[in-house]
Amino acid sequence: REAEAFKEQGNAYYAKKDYNEAYNYYTKAIDTCPNNASYYGNRAATLMMLGRFREALEDAQQSVRLDDSFVRGHLREGKCHLSLGNAMAASRCFQRVLELDHKNTQAQQELKNATTVLEYEKIAEVDFEKRDFRKVVFCMDRALEFAPACHRFKILKAECLALLGRYPEAQSVASDILRMDSTNADALYVRGLCLYYEDCIEKAVQFFVQALRMAPDHEKACLACRNAKALKAKKEDGNKAFKKGNYKLAYELYTEALGIDPNNIKTNAKLYCNRGTVNSKLRKLEEAIDDCTNAVKLDDTYIKAYLRRAQCYMDTEQYEDAVRDYEKVYQTEKTKEHKQLLKNAQMELKKSKRKDYYKILGVDKNASEDEIKKAYRKRALMHHPDRHSGASAEVQKEEEKKFKEVGEAFTILSDPKKKARYDSGQDLEEDGLNMGDFDANNIFKAFFGGPGGFSFEASGPGNFFFQFG
């Protein structure tokens, strides 16, 4: 009678949804009368409402050990197994209920639910092998609707989220499990995996080591730990070689590091950028551009890689590409430095679309006044129309054009003010210089200073000399 009184009080609290008090009274009933199946069944139901499925499973199993015909006991055992992700064991429990009561609709529905969970498990297993991690996450989300307390499903989902680069979500799932079970090796592995993929390699190793302490045979944690240590060592060795100026060795070490783990996107992005910096030091600018491109493909928020690639574009006079990269950087980080870099690139792009007078004369941008004069003398004589009077009309037209351009170039570069305006990218039209009305012959005559006429005469096949009149 005393046990029944405790049970009735437990029922009253259960009806009020005060499950902690209900649990206390059902426990008193069990302590008073430990061989009553219904008391264990009631406490199992209370523990299920409190989300304590492992303890609930023990009570449900005890209830059916005491009374194998206890339908509610078998149902609760099945529900606990299903909630914990053991769909096979759950199916056996629901089938036992149907043996006792073949019309039991709850058991029929729960059996379908268990079958659904088994199907999602199988699909997820295949998709994980195919590396279709999004599909695995979808399957685990569906399975967790029926098995909300299954750590195994949660861990698989978290691992796939990490592999998809969704680190905060993966960390959250793993942390929830560790709050309930701080020794869960799988959750420790996933926490480490997130840190590893976020390039926090040292912290990641600590979690992998902790996981291996809990489960020495944890293959994934063992492999990840080995990769993390190898990546860290190779990257650091590459950095040391770079600082010492041994660029060839640094290139080799960064290349070796890139081969360790293709899944580590963040670290590999940094390695590509580092190798790009090495290539730029070796003046292998196209290779440097390729490396930086690979870096931003892996991490499109990686500012350092955009800056490095933009500088390489500037060095190879690919100004439109440089402007695009600097615009991307400035949109992300609006600093004075980035604004100036963008402005410089835009100026060089503007200048590149004009005639390159230095190139026309064949001199360097830092050429002296004498070098500019010598270059003009050489090019003017080379392209003077009289020298090509015997050539085809097409060749004559081309040489005349080049002769005019040489004169233009000399006019600008021999005048300090015009040269300064040209070098700064300013519009020369504003200086009152209209190249459309430009007469190259006047420049030629003024330069050579001949009092009379001039002509080119042949002195042999392919040889000409200049003669003043």
Side-chain angles (χ1 to χ4, degrees), residues 27 44 51 58 86 114 155 178 203 222 224 229 242 336 388 400:
T27 301
E58 289 175 15
N86 192 345
I155 288 293
L178 288 170
K203 285 185 181 177
C222 187
K229 287 179 178 178
F242 180 83
K336 285 183 181 178
H388 303 281
E400 189 176 342

Side-chain angles (χ1 to χ4, degrees), residues 289-428:
I289 288 169
D290 288 342
D291 276 340
C292 292
T293 299
N294 283 326
V296 298
K297 277 181 184 175
L298 293 175
D299 181 1
D300 64 1
T301 65
Y302 193 12
I303 295 298
K304 191 176 176 183
Y306 284 111
L307 288 169
R308 172 61 57 197
R309 186 171 70 173
Q311 185 57 57
C312 291
Y313 281 139
M314 292 291 285
D315 293 341
T316 53
E317 299 182 3
Q318 299 178 65
Y319 299 119
E320 286 188 8
D321 292 322
V323 167
R324 187 190 65 240
D325 276 357
Y326 283 133
E327 281 175 344
K328 170 82 175 175
V329 169
Y330 185 61
Q331 284 166 9
T332 308
E333 292 182 1
K334 292 189 182 330
T335 66
K336 285 183 181 178
E337 183 188 355
H338 294 157
K339 187 177 183 179
Q340 190 58 49
L341 287 168
L342 174 58
K343 193 175 176 182
N344 292 346
Q346 288 170 334
M347 180 62 72
E348 290 301 323
L349 176 60
K350 183 181 175 184
K351 285 160 67 174
S352 73
K353 291 185 176 179
R354 309 170 307 170
K355 290 178 182 176
D356 187 341
Y357 290 138
Y358 290 103
K359 200 170 184 180
I360 288 167
L361 286 184
V363 295
D364 185 76
K365 289 183 180 180
N366 299 314
S368 67
E369 192 178 335
D370 282 344
E371 287 171 329
I372 288 169
K373 284 181 179 177
K374 284 177 185 176
Y376 173 70
R377 179 191 298 276
K378 180 181 175 183
R379 297 289 171 119
L381 291 173
M382 186 187 300
H383 298 298
H384 195 285
D386 286 357
R387 183 170 187 172
H388 303 281
S389 57
S392 66
E394 191 179 338
V395 170
Q396 284 186 43
K397 189 176 179 182
E398 183 63 28
E399 292 299 327
E400 189 176 342
K401 180 186 172 186
K402 288 179 181 176
F403 178 68
K404 184 178 178 183
E405 286 179 343
V406 167
E408 283 180 25
F410 181 68
T411 300
I412 301 302
L413 300 182
S414 62
D415 184 317
K417 286 185 180 178
K418 290 186 176 73
K419 182 177 184 295
R421 288 179 68 81
Y422 175 78
D423 287 344
S424 66
Q426 294 182 56
D427 193 346
L428 295 173

Side-chain angles (χ1 to χ4, degrees), residues 187-202:
L188 290 166
Y189 159 70
V190 169
R191 281 293 306 275
L193 197 65
C194 291
L195 290 164
Y196 171 61
Y197 285 147
E198 289 182 293
D199 198 40
C200 300
I201 293 179
E202 204 164 325

Side-chain angles (χ1 to χ4, degrees), residues 105-116:
T105 54
Q106 187 182 354
Q108 290 169 356
Q109 184 56 52
E110 294 293 357
L111 188 58
K112 286 179 184 176
N113 293 345
T115 304
T116 301

Side-chain angles (χ1 to χ4, degrees), residues 119-139 156 160:
E119 286 172 1
Y120 280 127
E121 275 193 84
K122 286 176 187 174
I123 295 168
E125 190 179 341
V126 172
D127 287 327
F128 189 88
E129 289 299 316
K130 291 179 182 175
R131 302 185 66 79
D132 188 349
F133 302 125
R134 282 186 179 81
K135 189 92 172 284
V136 178
V137 170
F138 171 82
C139 288
L156 182 55
C160 289

Side-chain angles (χ1 to χ4, degrees), residues 118-232:
L118 285 169
E119 286 172 1
Y120 280 127
E121 275 193 84
K122 286 176 187 174
I123 295 168
E125 190 179 341
V126 172
D127 287 327
F128 189 88
E129 289 299 316
K130 291 179 182 175
R131 302 185 66 79
D132 188 349
F133 302 125
R134 282 186 179 81
K135 189 92 172 284
V136 178
V137 170
F138 171 82
C139 288
M140 290 301 96
D141 278 337
R142 300 291 79 75
L144 283 163
E145 290 173 8
F146 304 107
C150 181
H151 286 182
R152 189 163 45 88
F153 293 168
K154 288 178 181 178
I155 288 293
L156 182 55
K157 175 185 172 179
E159 184 179 1
C160 289
L161 287 169
L163 292 166
L164 288 167
R166 292 160 63 179
Y167 307 120
E169 293 171 77
Q171 289 268 30
S172 177
V173 175
S175 296
D176 285 345
I177 292 170
L178 288 170
R179 271 193 289 273
M180 291 181 279
D181 178 9
S182 62
T183 64
N184 189 299
D186 291 324
L188 290 166
Y189 159 70
V190 169
R191 281 293 306 275
L193 197 65
C194 291
L195 290 164
Y196 171 61
Y197 285 147
E198 289 182 293
D199 198 40
C200 300
I201 293 179
E202 204 164 325
K203 285 185 181 177
V205 169
Q206 291 172 9
F207 274 98
F208 295 143
V209 168
Q210 203 176 340
L212 289 167
R213 203 175 289 132
M214 300 301 164
D217 296 329
H218 200 295
E219 289 182 12
K220 288 181 178 179
C222 187
L223 176 62
C225 191
R226 191 162 62 243
N227 283 345
K229 287 179 178 178
L231 257 182
K232 185 173 181 286

Side-chain angles (χ1 to χ4, degrees), residues 79-96:
K79 279 288 288 179
C80 289
H81 278 308
L82 187 57
S83 295
L84 292 165
N86 192 345
M88 288 289 283
S91 296
R92 288 193 292 270
C93 293
F94 300 135
Q95 283 165 352
R96 176 61 183 148

